[in-house]
Amino acid sequence: MSGAILLVGFIIVVALAFDYINGFHDAANSIATVVSTRVLTPMQAVAWAAFFNFVAAFGFGVQVAKTVGKGVVHAGVVDQWVILGGLTGAIAWNLITWYYGIPSSSSHALIGGFAGAAVAKAGWGSLAASGLLKITAFIVLAPVLGMALGFALMVATLWIFRRTRPTRVDTLFRRLQLVSAAFYSLGHGTNDAQKTMGIIAILLFSGG
């Protein structure tokens, strides 16, 4: 087996290690409500979230994988070492933020690591400006939109159930938490699960 194939295999293992670290970095987001209210045990909640994360990649397209694969760095710059450098930087940042309990996006850590490795190799011209601008815009827009929609849904829920008995609300919402956790995991799967897909795809197409 040639050294190039061994290197590609090693980088794929590192990519999967990043995916694993991303899992325990972000998993609490998907299961916090159903575990804290004891709707599901931690193991049941993890299995529930894992199923819907997995399904998401097959039901909602791979646009995020395409953006990571082609929209961040110009293809001519990418080689195995750029990919390995990006993954290593992202893993280090994930572990640091996880250890200190800092809320941080694994997606942006990977994209930042990938972009940084490309700049180190070929300078700022190696970056795909349009893709990075789109990502940067949604770093700002996503939490603002989430806050606005969350507030609107909270007000609507309080108004709709304002005359309902607390016991009935508790029973209904314990069941609905399963639905919300499933949708959250689907959303997570359409985003985070595809990052590593994109990285592995560009690794395989970069001549490795």
Side-chain angles (χ1 to χ4, degrees), residues 84-167:
L84 182 59
L87 285 169
T88 304
I91 288 172
W93 181 248
N94 267 357
L95 290 174
I96 291 167
T97 53
W98 165 76
Y99 182 80
Y100 288 104
I102 301 170
S104 172
S105 169
S106 297
S107 303
H108 299 141
L110 180 61
I111 290 166
F114 192 32
V119 169
K121 177 187 177 185
W124 294 100
S126 62
L127 302 180
S130 60
L132 286 174
L133 284 173
K134 179 169 65 175
I135 293 165
T136 302
F138 275 91
I139 289 176
V140 178
L141 288 174
V144 173
L145 290 172
M147 182 177 67
L149 289 171
F151 180 79
L153 288 170
M154 181 187 71
V155 171
T157 301
L158 289 171
W159 187 82
I160 291 168
F161 292 96
R162 67 192 185 282
R163 293 191 178 92
T164 308
R165 293 194 312 272
T167 53

Side-chain angles (χ1 to χ4, degrees), residues 14-96:
V14 174
L16 294 175
F18 168 81
D19 225 15
Y20 175 77
I21 292 168
N22 177 59
F24 71 70
H25 191 276
D26 292 357
N29 298 331
S30 297
I31 67 174
T33 55
V34 288
V35 171
S36 62
T37 56
R38 299 184 181 179
V39 171
L40 295 175
T41 66
M43 288 300 295
Q44 290 171 333
V46 169
W48 184 261
F51 173 78
F52 287 101
N53 268 279
F54 184 76
V55 166
F58 298 95
F60 295 91
V62 291
Q63 294 306 312
V64 172
K66 291 178 181 177
T67 299
V68 173
K70 298 178 181 178
V72 177
V73 175
H74 293 306
V77 178
V78 178
D79 61 14
Q80 296 95 324
W81 302 110
V82 169
I83 295 170
L84 182 59
L87 285 169
T88 304
I91 288 172
W93 181 248
N94 267 357
L95 290 174
I96 291 167

